[in-house]
Amino acid sequence: MGDTAKLSMAGADFDYPVIKGSVGPDVVDIRKLYGQTGMFTYDPGFTSTAACESALTFIDGDEGVLLHRGYAIGELAEHSTFMETSYLLLNGALPSQAELTDFSRTISRHTMLHEQLATFYRGFRRDAHPMAIMCGVVGALSAFYHDSTDIADPVHRKISSHRLIAKMPTIAAMAFKYSVGQPFVYPDNSLSYTGNFLRMTFGVPAEPYEVNPVVEQALDRIFILHADHEQNASTSTVRLAGSSGANPFACIAAGIACLWGPAHGGANEAALNMLREIGTPDKIPHYIERAKDKNDPFRLMGFGHRVYKNYDPRATVMQKTVREVFAALKVNDPVFEVALQLEEMALNDPYFIEKKLFPNVDFYSGVILSAIGFPTTMFTALFALARTVGWVAQWNEMISDPGQKIGRPRQLYTGPVERSYVPLSKR
Ligand code: SDX
């Protein structure tokens, strides 16, 4: 018999099994709690709740550790590619060369969009936020790809997974092209996944486009850093949507909507806007004081994390990548210096130290994306592009779990108890 957690209340004792994972916190299995006690647990924001079992990604927030199928994010960022990391997340093992070639070729064969989807873009204003377009177009994919929406069929699940991973760069690039009034550029599958995306975004039909290998590698690494991240808000949204049996395109569209929030994936756009608003290092102390002021809603965007109470390992790689891209592109944007000094001051401020607030993945990413040429409005769309493989892998893991059931949390009700209706004439 393994460990148990004992709950004593109303004169009775209840034992709940403690389940051990391969690493990280154990869990108390309270699935029988309501049936035995008539009570719910209460955990708004799920700060102490494991909503599922997963073998995909492990985070140790205190140590600043992030593993994908056991491989440290720093090693994957250094040695892997986004296609290889995608294969790893989906299949649980690093691919052989033949497996990687086959996977990359399969993905590249799904990069084109149904031609009618291009007309969806013309329904948006030119200044529509790319995330609004991504929500709409990805949700609409289920209207075009009926032949891969039977979630009970593993072949359908595989095809729709590949379609989503392959088409996100095309959809995101088209959102950018539409916003600048340039023609859509079709995929060129002789290029890498990330090179193809760069060409669809920055290439024009009027002249050849040369992929810059330094930019290609930096962006591919940024995609790796954003691929998956345990049960974050948007992944939990995808899982909850998927638990009702909704088709994968609709589930990913729900994840995109959740990611858009500035507390989550929208923080990269907000962080760069904040750095630009600060403008020069002498203004930093004023903004740090604002971030500490409880009466001021301002927060340091790109700082803090629900899980990391140490440096986000992705931010470490991101900062190193800024230096590489700036050197390669001979960029000298003062915003990087503002970011470095802001980090330095915040990490030495008692408020941030006491609350264990460190830079997260979003703090530096915008500096690089801006240097590459993306407008801030595209930053979260790029996050969604990369996170699609994580959402798809998590969705597949949930759907293929034989014990899977619809997610249906309960509540602590604090509204009025039953009362009789009062006719209008008596009110
Ligand atoms: C992502 O979950 C994931 O894994 C997400 C992600 C992923 O890959 O999927 O990692 C991507 O979303 C990264 C986070 C990006 N968001 C931001 O950078 C926005 C700024 N950060 C915060 O809003 C906040 O830190 C959160 C939302 C990220 C985390 O919030 P929590 O865990 O709910 O913590 P909290 O809001 O309760 O904050 C704890 C305390 C509070 O002070 P007290 O009420 O205890 O006095 O810290 C303070 C907060 O006011 N605080 C900040 C702060 N973040 C938290 N104060 C100033 N600036 C900040 N950035």
Side-chain angles (χ1 to χ4, degrees), residues 59 225-226 228-229 231-234 259 262-265 267 291-292 294 298-309 312 314 351-352 355 357 360-362 383 387:
I59 303 173
L225 296 177
H226 287 82
D228 190 48
H229 210 240
Q231 305 310 317
N232 58 84
S234 53
L259 186 75
H264 189 15
K292 293 156 60 173
K294 285 293 158 233
F298 174 79
R299 284 193 166 185
L300 281 191
M301 301 314 281
F303 253 79
H305 199 277
R306 170 62 60 75
V307 177
Y308 289 122
K309 302 309 172 191
D312 182 334
R314 300 169 296 176
Y351 173 93
F352 292 87
K355 294 184 185 298
L357 303 173
N360 58 49
V361 68
D362 294 310
F383 194 149
R387 184 53 59 88

Side-chain angles (χ1 to χ4, degrees), residues 288 300 303 341-350 352-353:
I288 286 191
L300 281 191
F303 253 79
Q341 292 200 29
L342 173 56
E343 174 190 333
E344 174 74 19
M345 284 188 207
L347 294 188
N348 288 291
D349 182 290
F352 292 87
I353 293 168

